[in-house]
Amino acid sequence: MAEHVLEAEGLTKQFGGFKAVSNVNLAVKRGSIHALIGPNGAGKTTCFNLMTKFMEPSGGSIRFNGRDITRLGADAVARLGLVRSFQISAVFANLTVLENVRLAVQRRRGGSYDFWRSKTVLRDLEPRALELVEAVGLEDYADAPAADLSYGRKRALELATTLALEPEVMLLDEPMAGMGHEDISRITALIRKVAQGRTVLMVEHNLGVVADLCDRITVLTRGEILAEGDYDTVSKDARVIEAYIGGAAGHA
């Protein structure tokens, strides 16, 4: 297998005369946890949306396992094993935790969502669904409506539904957004656990999480790569310090 599972070359996104992402070359190593970070307006969300095929690039190419996926849609790349979560938790509030995960298992196995499917068929999906519920620490909440979960546990449920699609690469959009310290610690540990045997690309604002969790970090500013390396390397880079401090001062 190639060393890099997901690669972008010359990735560019232009809106009129404005380049949100400009000539980005990105290589995500197989089996790593890789973060995209940068100050507000750096282009990281646009870059992430391009890599996950929720947005079409103006230029450049994207390869997954050596295959050009530049013109494929999000559904097609998800079927290949490139699956993303979203910044806002996306679960069915009125279904139980187990039902949410079972639906995701059904989707992976090509089953219809028809509500008249037999109980036997649904029971066949239950062992895998329960396994995933337990994997994210929600076994005590399996029969609880998703609406009743805390925010952090909803994010754990979203991870379970993402895992149900059996991704080779998980793409996480600000998984710690809106969380308190206790939930951040829990979800950080959970991501580390579920990343075993997979590759993770994430956008994350919390630099403490990035330092603790990520093998490699790409820093973006003004739509271009400013620095790349492990946390020790990028955190000591004078350009990165200036981008963050200057960006914070300008934002204030």
Side-chain angles (χ1 to χ4, degrees), residues 226-248:
L226 180 65
E228 197 166 62
D230 60 19
Y231 184 79
D232 283 344
T233 300
V234 300
S235 65
K236 293 172 183 173
D237 190 305
R239 299 168 302 167
V240 174
I241 295 168
E242 173 60 26
Y244 269 92
I245 294 175

Side-chain angles (χ1 to χ4, degrees), residues 14-251:
Q14 190 160 332
F15 299 97
F18 172 66
K19 279 189 178 179
V21 172
S22 180
N23 199 35
V24 165
N25 296 317
L26 182 67
V28 180
K29 189 175 181 180
R30 194 179 303 279
S32 69
I33 303 178
H34 192 132
L36 286 175
I37 70 170
N40 290 336
K44 55 190 180 295
T45 298
T46 301
C47 187
F48 190 78
N49 285 335
L50 292 169
M51 296 291 286
T52 56
K53 302 316 318 296
F54 279 77
M55 190 178 284
E56 286 299 311
S58 305
S61 63
I62 305 165
R63 293 186 301 279
F64 176 53
N65 279 327
R67 173 179 175 176
D68 191 323
I69 62 168
T70 311
R71 300 304 165 198
L72 294 182
D75 286 349
V77 298
R79 286 192 292 272
L80 292 176
L82 191 69
V83 180
R84 75 172 283 179
S85 71
F86 294 86
Q87 183 176 344
I88 299 171
S89 184
V91 297
F92 294 102
N94 294 326
L95 297 181
T96 68
V97 166
L98 182 60
E99 287 168 340
N100 267 277
V101 179
R102 191 172 64 192
L103 272 176
V105 173
Q106 227 176 306
R107 174 68 182 87
R108 171 63 184 173
R109 297 187 180 179
S112 165
Y113 291 136
D114 296 341
F115 290 104
W116 53 82
R117 287 179 68 80
S118 74
K119 290 183 179 179
T120 303
V121 171
L122 294 178
R123 276 200 301 269
D124 288 344
L125 302 173
E126 210 141 289
R128 176 58 178 157
L130 280 168
E131 182 182 330
L132 290 164
V133 168
E134 291 171 5
V136 299
L138 292 177
E139 58 271 22
D140 291 342
Y141 302 88
D143 297 321
D148 292 348
L149 298 179
S150 68
Y151 183 72
R153 290 194 173 97
K154 283 179 182 173
R155 299 314 299 260
L157 173 56
E158 187 182 39
L159 276 175
T161 59
T162 303
L163 288 170
L165 299 177
E166 298 177 18
E168 182 177 352
V169 178
M170 293 178 63
L171 302 120
L172 307 178
D173 186 7
E174 297 192 29
M176 310 301 169
M179 288 189 187
H181 178 73
E182 183 180 335
D183 280 337
I184 286 174
S185 297
R186 182 186 299 118
I187 298 300
T188 297
L190 181 54
I191 291 172
R192 184 180 289 110
K193 175 184 175 183
V194 301
Q196 294 176 19
R198 295 183 177 85
T199 304
V200 175
L201 176 65
M202 60 192 290
V203 170
E204 182 52 56
H205 276 294
N206 189 317
L207 295 185
V209 169
V210 170
D212 183 42
L213 194 58
C214 297
D215 305 302
R216 191 165 183 83
I217 299 158
T218 299
V219 185
L220 293 172
T221 185
R222 299 184 180 91
E224 299 179 344
I225 292 179
L226 180 65
E228 197 166 62
D230 60 19
Y231 184 79
D232 283 344
T233 300
V234 300
S235 65
K236 293 172 183 173
D237 190 305
R239 299 168 302 167
V240 174
I241 295 168
E242 173 60 26
Y244 269 92
I245 294 175
H251 188 64

